[in-house]
Amino acid sequence: MEQTGKKAIWQEYQKEIAEDKYYYARSCIRQNFFPGSEHAFLNILRNNLKKDLHDDAKHTTCTGIGYHSDVVPMETTMTVVARNFSLMTEAGYQNYIPSCITSFGLYTEIIETWKHFPETLEKTRDFLFKATKRTFDLPNNLAHTSDIIYKFRHEIAAMAKYKLVDVHTGRPLRIVDHIGCHYSKMFPEKGVGGAEYPYVLAGMVEAWGGETIDYPERRHCCGFGFRQYLVKANRSYSLSASRKKFESMQPYEPDFIITNCPGCPYFMDRWQYVIAETEHKVYGAGGKAIPVLTYEEMAGLVLGYNPWDLGLQMHQVPIEPLLEKMRIAYNPAEKYLGVNGKDLGKPVIPELFKYQDE
Amino acid sequence: MTDYFSQLSEDVRFQEGLNACINCGTCTAICPAAEVYDYDPRILTDMLQTRNNEMVEELLKSDMIWYCGECMSCKTRCPRNNVPGLLVIALRNLSQKTGFFTESEKGRQQLFLKRSIGEWILNYGYCVYAPHLHTSMFPELGDVWDWIDNHMDDVFTRVGAKLGKDGPGILRKIQSEDLDELKAIFDATGGTERYETIEKYSAKKAKEMGLNLDETHNNEYFLKIYNDNDKNHHEF
């Protein structure tokens, strides 16, 4: 059906997201820093939403961080990506869903490059066959894993055990979102809401009872910058960018930060830790730091998953103030235990991050 | 003199990234790197559109091309579809091919990136691999990471990961036949050659600077490129 008027104008901010049968590509960063998020995503897709998702042991990194650190040439990255597509083809799937925004941006860029420069696609096919004897099909549908949760946000809302509401006052939680630069800055039409009206996370927040804050530096980079974080000599770049965002969101007293990219929650969590330790400064209301969640963690909490199954104990900023606001049932004594209650000791808790009797 | 501009022009990212720049400065206004470094993507783009070969050579040897964080914010905002971030990627590519990257402090850092991210990709199949991350190199990993580091298998198992284990799952062991395919791709496509080029020119530069460089992460040159930051990078 042809869209007219406002619907036609907003059409370019929508995207087609496959309904089912996904080939899942894991994220290097998310697996290392937020492993519970990937575990939760699979559980939500398979157990809550009853979707078919292929979790393949054979796929590798897309080389994205190496590519954007400029140590991996474009031809190499294209061919590694082609190998991952070959594995999707081999497994009988057509809908490719990477868990990483750097990957999603890179896959998008590569597919677009292959369209605009068909000789690069042919060259990649030759390279892949020469190196591995493999062939590949392009995905029919490419979506970031947050797009999938966004697509089914109302179904998740219908199953929700908790709402994004301060149960003590009835106030919707104030949430700032950060969608990550490579989600839609390069190809705005490939992201929900584009680069100007980011809606992939805001849509989840609204569907689950919260309120999104459109703060001034909402679209500013978290500061990863690849080599700008990875090399210690450059790291002030990264800290400065996150700090700019914290200063910008502080007046709105957010209850938490929700993130799209696997790297952004790491930086927004850990740079709050660094500022607290070096300047004795925190940015949340009531002298507290602002908890930072991945969208899988937010969905998991809403669905009633155990916070420690989600891996929230691996964050540096304490998450308990948010759990209390939402009155989520949790056992503080289990926070740092291993499987079957194994005693793993406890981390040192920074002075400004101590919660209750810690 | 080698025609560096022509070499740059062969790169599809250069072709996509350079249209007619109108010098409006929107890219600079939005650029996170321009806030912390003496860096102006507008000037860089303008230098390139002069097609001046000597200027291109100067850029290839400069710190300027290493300041960008490749966030691509410039792509969204440019009213003429220029992408300084893509131009930077093309310049960095050529700077490494020619060996000019060792002429600048920021360029020399490529050796650290090759020996960390670059080697983890081929050794483990991941760009980043938790058992190699420690607060000694990345102090902001924090107190919580020291606890994770000390109990790595237990913590990762607790949250459903398969660290170093067979089969599918989070941080699973990627099997040798898959890593072999990855290596074959690197060999066929210039990835291995890039790594060797970075090592070759870095060794030459270390010698020139009178600094020790061996294959470890603990030698004078390696520690210097990882830690040193000339304050002049931030002088405006």
Side-chain angles (χ1 to χ4, degrees):
Chain A
M1 192 177 78
E2 194 183 337
Q3 304 280 4
T4 55
K6 280 188 179 175
K7 278 192 174 170
I9 293 168
W10 285 102
Q11 206 170 17
E12 64 182 283
Y13 296 99
Q14 312 299 318
K15 71 177 279 188
E16 196 185 326
I17 304 164
E19 183 74 30
D20 200 355
K21 301 189 186 308
Y22 307 114
Y23 183 92
Y24 183 54
R26 292 186 178 276
S27 152
C28 297
I29 298 265
R30 209 183 293 281
Q31 289 179 91
N32 278 280
F33 297 116
F34 303 96
S37 291
E38 291 211 346
H39 193 56
F41 181 80
L42 262 67
N43 282 333
I44 293 168
L45 266 281
R46 287 174 171 162
N47 303 333
N48 296 95
L49 298 170
K50 311 294 181 197
K51 299 295 175 187
D52 172 8
L53 177 148
H54 187 67
D55 182 17
D56 194 346
K58 292 184 73 60
H59 88 78
T60 66
T61 174
C62 70
T63 76
I65 298 174
Y67 175 77
H68 282 295
S69 298
D70 306 281
V71 292
V72 179
M74 181 182 69
E75 294 78 5
T76 307
T77 295
M78 281 183 170
T79 312
V80 173
V81 163
R83 178 181 181 272
N84 284 346
F85 288 161
S86 167
L87 292 165
M88 173 196 72
T89 308
E90 193 176 274
Y93 286 77
Q94 297 177 321
N95 303 320
Y96 197 90
I97 53 166
S99 164
C100 172
I101 292 288
T102 300
S103 297
F104 173 72
L106 196 49
Y107 288 126
T108 305
E109 184 180 342
I110 286 173
I111 291 170
E112 289 298 305
T113 305
W114 285 342
K115 271 186 208 163
H116 290 109
F117 301 91
E119 69 279 11
T120 59
L121 175 58
E122 287 317 305
K123 205 169 163 186
T124 304
R125 289 193 188 284
D126 290 345
F127 279 141
L128 185 66
F129 191 78
K130 185 181 160 198
T132 68
K133 301 280 180 261
R134 288 181 173 279
T135 59
F136 69 99
D137 294 336
L138 269 65
N140 273 355
N141 189 268
L142 175 69
H144 183 247
T145 42
S146 62
D147 294 330
I148 309 299
I149 298 289
Y150 167 82
K151 183 178 178 71
F152 298 112
R153 65 196 184 283
H154 297 302
E155 286 83 345
I156 290 171
M159 300 173 199
K161 194 171 172 189
Y162 300 101
K163 282 191 146 191
L164 298 175
V165 168
D166 184 336
V167 296
H168 306 286
T169 62
R171 171 181 65 79
L173 294 177
R174 287 186 293 266
I175 299 158
V176 296
D177 70 358
H178 178 80
I179 61 163
C181 295
H182 288 198
Y183 176 68
S184 60
K185 280 183 178 172
M186 293 186 283
F187 298 94
E189 70 280 10
K190 306 294 183 190
V192 179
E196 301 292 355
Y197 307 100
Y199 196 65
V200 63
L201 300 177
M204 296 178 207
V205 166
E206 288 174 8
W208 303 339
E211 177 195 341
T212 305
I213 297 167
D214 192 11
Y215 68 109
E217 296 299 345
R218 186 179 179 187
R219 295 157 189 82
H220 195 68
C221 177
C222 72
F224 181 14
F226 304 97
R227 69 189 331 276
Q228 312 303 349
Y229 170 72
L230 294 165
V231 183
K232 194 174 181 182
N234 306 340
R235 227 164 268 171
S236 58
Y237 171 115
S238 181
L239 173 59
S240 301
S242 280
R243 184 196 176 93
K244 181 172 178 166
K245 291 183 75 74
F246 300 145
E247 301 277 349
S248 174
M249 68 178 73
Q250 185 178 24
Y252 301 89
E253 300 192 338
D255 293 297
F256 69 94
I257 300 167
I258 176 77
T259 55
N260 206 19
C261 194
C264 305
Y266 168 77
F267 294 108
M268 299 183 81
D269 182 72
R270 295 312 207 276
W271 289 134
Q272 283 193 78
Y273 157 77
V274 167
I275 293 168
E277 289 285 84
T278 56
E279 296 182 38
H280 308 289
K281 183 170 184 179
V282 289
Y283 290 94
K288 293 185 171 69
I290 309 169
V292 187
L293 296 183
T294 66
Y295 59 87
E296 299 104 319
E297 289 167 346
M298 180 170 76
L301 287 180
V302 162
L303 286 166
Y305 286 36
N306 179 340
W308 315 138
D309 289 348
L310 292 170
L312 296 175
Q313 65 276 34
M314 295 176 76
H315 293 217
Q316 190 66 77
V317 173
I319 211 76
E320 286 87 343
L322 174 63
L323 303 180
E324 298 288 344
K325 280 178 193 167
M326 293 172 68
R327 203 178 281 149
I328 286 176
Y330 73 100
N331 185 348
E334 291 178 356
K335 183 171 183 180
Y336 297 113
L337 297 180
V339 174
N340 298 325
K342 185 176 178 185
D343 183 2
L344 305 178
K346 286 181 181 177
V348 172
I349 309 293
E351 199 55 40
L352 286 175
F353 289 0
K354 284 188 174 161
Y355 186 73
Q356 292 179 338
D357 57 348
E358 280 179 327
Chain B
M1 184 183 181
T2 310
D3 188 351
Y4 298 113
F5 185 83
S6 293
Q7 289 185 37
L8 266 183
S9 304
E10 289 165 14
D11 192 317
V12 294
R13 295 162 297 191
F14 189 83
Q15 293 166 31
E16 285 288 286
L18 187 61
N19 298 297
C21 169
I22 57 172
N23 271 292
C24 67
T26 304
C27 54
T28 306
I30 200 80
C31 177
E35 290 191 21
V36 294
Y37 286 126
D38 179 17
Y39 176 60
D40 189 331
R42 178 190 65 82
I43 290 176
L44 180 130
T45 308
D46 200 35
M47 284 170 82
L48 289 170
Q49 71 179 358
T50 64
R51 307 171 71 98
N52 181 320
N53 203 45
E54 284 174 12
M55 227 179 246
V56 173
E57 184 177 344
E58 187 188 320
L59 279 173
L60 295 172
K61 293 176 179 173
S62 73
D63 281 304
M64 192 201 286
I65 64 169
W66 302 100
Y67 291 149
C68 165
E70 299 189 16
C71 70
M72 301 297 169
S73 300
C74 48
K75 162 75 170 72
T76 315
R77 302 291 181 180
C78 177
R80 289 291 180 272
N81 288 323
N82 294 291
V83 192
L86 282 180
L87 302 178
V88 159
I89 294 174
L91 283 161
R92 290 175 178 179
N93 193 52
L94 187 56
S95 179
Q96 289 173 101
K97 271 187 186 168
T98 53
F100 288 152
F101 71 101
T102 60
E103 296 304 306
S104 66
E105 182 186 83
K106 295 296 182 193
R108 288 193 284 275
Q109 294 168 344
Q110 287 308 97
L111 181 69
F112 169 78
L113 295 163
K114 179 264 166 186
R115 287 192 180 183
S116 53
I117 307 296
E119 291 183 3
W120 293 336
I121 289 172
L122 289 179
N123 292 339
Y124 305 106
Y126 300 102
C127 283
V128 182
Y129 194 55
H132 284 284
L133 304 177
H134 309 292
T135 51
S136 53
M137 292 290 269
F138 299 91
E140 59 286 334
L141 281 163
D143 297 305
V144 74
W145 191 264
D146 280 332
W147 171 73
I148 294 167
D149 203 2
N150 289 333
H151 306 279
M152 193 156 276
D153 285 337
D154 284 317
V155 175
F156 275 83
T157 303
R158 170 67 187 85
V159 297
K162 296 282 174 63
L163 179 63
K165 297 187 174 71
D166 293 338
I170 300 154
L171 284 185
R172 69 208 178 277
K173 181 181 183 197
I174 294 181
Q175 300 299 319
S176 56
E177 62 263 30
D178 298 308
L179 293 177
D180 288 347
E181 286 195 13
L182 209 53
K183 180 68 170 67
I185 289 171
F186 269 67
D187 288 345
T189 56
T192 304
E193 188 184 348
R194 166 68 58 83
Y195 284 10
E196 289 167 355
T197 304
I198 292 171
E199 286 285 347
K200 182 179 85 178
Y201 284 105
S202 298
K204 194 175 159 200
K205 179 52 78 175
K207 200 172 175 188
E208 197 181 305
M209 292 169 75
L211 297 171
N212 161 261
L213 173 62
D214 57 28
E215 289 177 356
T216 70
H217 287 200
N218 190 20
N219 56 71
E220 290 170 344
Y221 185 81
F222 194 81
L223 293 174
K224 187 173 179 58
I225 62 167
Y226 184 65
N227 289 306
D228 279 13
N229 181 43
D230 186 333
K231 297 289 183 291
N232 286 328
H233 297 301
H234 310 284
E235 290 294 326
F236 290 87

